[in-house]
């Protein structure tokens, strides 16, 4: 089997993985898979190597990447007026599966997007998104609460009979370039299924201790709603932010989240995206 055939099979498997996540409602995983595949396709489009794919095939791959981005954006933005549906994306499976022999018109009127536009998780430079884009969640762009500065933790709620208060202790975050992060802090938010903030968003103070690949926070965050009052499907998001001196803005480098069934006494390690 040739290398190019193996590459196409790998792309098709990634596409199937993404659409499976999408159909199962695992939206974060689907977005990751779509963006990684789109990035791979765009790299091929930008390549000067004409031995593997013709210019026409590269143009098709570029349009395919655009559709992946459109579906990813639709999953992140509940306010989207022109939502690109999963059913639309699935119509493209024969194209990615048979790109070496596909010779029909592309089914959607889209254009390839510039290489740098798609941000693939897992790549250092591409995980950095300006705060204005509300990175990490995408949804919930409606500002429900006022803007903050680092160190806006709120006090513990009053206790109520039969109600459970939740205090989170953020111990540390592990990153390969932890020592290079300037003024790092974490934004904590609680969002519903539509990505709308349920509580005021809180920022930890800037971390002051870095050791090897860890940034230590050791800070307690009081969630501003009793557990019993959080709706089904709510999740707690943690966005890691740091200052970029060359670009002169605070960037969201990565994020993590906890779902309701993960909330229990004791330590927990959560995955970074």
């Amino acid at each position: 089997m040739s290398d190019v055939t193996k590459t196409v099979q790998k792309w098709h498997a990634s596409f199937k993985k993404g659409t499976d996540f999408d159909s199962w409602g695992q939206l974060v995983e689907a977005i990751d898979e779509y963006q990684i595949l789109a990035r791979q396709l765009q790299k091929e489009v930008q390549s000067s190597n004409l031995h593997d794919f013709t210019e026409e095939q590269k143009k098709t791959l570029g349009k395919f990447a655009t559709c992946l981005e459109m579906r990813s954006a639709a999953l992140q933005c509940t306010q989207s007026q022109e939502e690109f549906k999963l059913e639309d994306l699935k119509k493209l499976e024969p194209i990615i599966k048979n790109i070496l022999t596909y010779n029909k018109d592309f089914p959607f009127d889209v254009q390839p997007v510039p290489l740098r536009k798609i941000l693939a998780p897992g790549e250092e430079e591409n995980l950095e998104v300006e705060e204005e884009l509300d990175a990490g969640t995408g949804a919930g762009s409606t500002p429900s609460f006022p803007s903050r500065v680092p160190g806006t933790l709120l006090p513990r709620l009053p206790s109520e009979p039969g109600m459970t208060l939740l205090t989170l202790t953020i111990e540390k975050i592990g990153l390969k370039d932890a020592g290079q992060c300037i003024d790092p802090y974490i934004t904590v938010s609680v969002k519903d299924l539509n990505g709308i903030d349920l509580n005021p968003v809180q920022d930890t103070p800037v971390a002051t201790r870095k050791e090897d690949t860890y940034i230590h926070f050791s800070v307690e965050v009081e969630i501003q709603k009793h557990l019993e009052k959080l709706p089904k499907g709510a999740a707690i998001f943690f966005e890691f932010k740091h200052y970029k001196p060359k670009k002169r803005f605070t960037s969201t480098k990565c994020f993590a989240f906890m779902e309701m069934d993960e909330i229990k006494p004791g330590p927990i390690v959560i995955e970074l995206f």
Side-chain angles (χ1 to χ4, degrees):
M1 186 184 298
S2 69
D3 288 343
V4 66
T5 302
K6 289 179 181 178
T7 297
V8 172
Q9 287 187 349
K10 182 180 176 182
W11 288 345
H12 180 231
S14 177
F15 177 80
K16 282 287 294 174
K17 189 176 178 182
T19 53
D20 283 346
F21 279 138
D22 201 342
S23 62
W24 297 335
Q26 294 178 248
L27 305 189
V28 172
E29 292 85 350
I31 290 168
D32 282 355
E33 201 66 39
Y34 290 153
Q35 291 182 341
I36 290 169
L37 177 56
R39 177 72 168 165
Q40 292 172 350
L41 297 182
Q42 285 190 315
K43 282 183 176 178
E44 186 60 49
V45 170
Q46 295 288 321
S47 169
S48 57
N49 183 2
L50 293 177
H51 299 300
D52 295 339
F53 300 97
T54 66
E55 285 295 342
E56 195 61 34
Q57 287 170 341
K58 286 188 175 185
K59 186 183 294 185
T60 300
L61 290 174
K63 291 181 177 181
F64 199 101
T66 298
C67 292
L68 289 169
E69 182 189 21
M70 291 169 63
R71 178 58 189 161
S72 178
L75 290 177
Q76 295 179 70
C77 182
T78 57
Q79 312 299 325
S80 176
Q81 297 298 314
E82 299 180 10
E83 184 177 307
F84 196 80
K85 300 183 183 303
L86 175 59
E87 292 75 18
D88 296 329
L89 192 62
K90 284 186 173 180
K91 293 176 184 176
L92 303 181
E93 185 175 355
I95 297 178
I96 198 66
K97 184 178 181 180
N98 305 299
I99 185 63
L100 296 173
T101 56
Y102 186 83
N103 57 10
K104 299 177 183 178
D105 291 336
F106 200 81
F108 300 106
D109 184 18
V110 297
Q111 294 300 318
V113 292
L115 177 63
R116 300 295 298 175
K117 188 172 180 181
I118 290 184
L119 309 175
E123 296 188 43
E124 174 66 22
E125 63 192 76
N126 294 323
L127 276 174
E128 297 167 357
V129 184
E130 293 88 346
E131 281 189 77
E132 295 83 38
L133 297 182
D134 201 15
T137 59
S141 57
T142 304
S144 305
F145 300 98
S147 58
R148 301 90 53 206
V149 295
T152 56
L153 295 181
L154 297 169
R156 188 175 178 85
L157 291 176
S159 59
E160 293 183 19
M163 292 292 178
T164 308
L165 292 169
L166 175 61
T167 303
L168 299 175
T169 301
I170 301 176
E171 288 291 348
K172 60 186 178 181
I173 183 171
L175 299 165
K176 63 182 180 181
D177 59 346
Q180 301 173 23
C181 296
I182 299 174
D183 290 345
Y185 66 97
I186 292 178
T187 295
V188 181
S189 58
V190 184
K191 299 179 184 293
D192 65 12
L193 278 172
N194 294 318
I196 304 301
D197 288 324
L198 297 171
N199 295 338
V201 176
Q202 302 183 66
D203 292 327
T204 70
V206 168
T208 56
R209 185 161 69 97
K210 303 171 188 175
E211 292 180 357
D212 299 324
T213 56
Y214 289 99
I215 298 173
H216 293 262
F217 287 91
S218 300
V219 63
E220 291 189 347
V221 181
E222 303 289 350
I223 300 304
Q224 299 294 298
K225 197 179 284 288
H226 294 89
L227 276 181
E228 289 79 6
K229 296 180 180 178
L230 291 174
K232 186 178 180 181
I236 302 172
F237 284 83
F238 306 86
E239 299 170 75
F240 178 81
K241 300 179 179 180
H242 66 135
Y243 183 68
K244 303 286 288 182
K246 290 183 179 179
K247 298 179 181 178
R248 291 183 293 182
F249 63 70
T250 297
S251 168
T252 299
K253 185 178 183 66
C254 54
F255 75 99
F257 66 93
M258 288 174 61
E259 296 177 290
M260 291 297 101
D261 59 359
E262 295 179 286
I263 297 175
K264 55 189 123 182
I268 179 174
V269 178
I270 53 179
E271 185 178 1
L272 294 177
F273 296 93

